[in-house]
Amino acid sequence: MELLELFTFLVVPENWFWWIVLGSFWLVFSVMYAVLGGPFGWVAVVLVVASLSHSAHRLWNGTVD
């Protein structure tokens, strides 16, 4: 698996199972990062939530590549 394919898989889930697994990982990771005082921590949480809602919308409409 190429590096770009791996990155795409970790960021853009292709079905609901991976959306739940990866989404929960990224959400917990970003909240922990924000709580521990990382720079732009809460911005990271907002970006993760926005990304999850966008990918859920794409999964719901069936427009995932």
Side-chain angles (χ1 to χ4, degrees):
M1 183 178 282
E2 293 179 13
L3 187 60
L4 182 59
E5 288 177 359
L6 179 63
F7 177 74
T8 304
F9 173 74
L10 292 175
V11 176
V12 183
E14 297 178 0
N15 58 41
W16 286 108
F17 172 76
W18 287 113
W19 186 87
I20 292 169
V21 170
L22 294 172
S24 61
F25 167 76
W26 286 116
L27 189 59
V28 168
F29 182 78
S30 65
V31 168
M32 285 176 45
Y33 178 74
V35 168
L36 293 175
F40 306 107
W42 295 108
V43 173
V45 174
V46 170
L47 290 175
V48 166
V49 169
S51 175
L52 287 175
S53 66
H54 176 69
S55 64
H57 179 67
R58 290 181 62 201
L59 280 171
W60 185 262
N61 290 331
T63 57
V64 176
D65 295 336

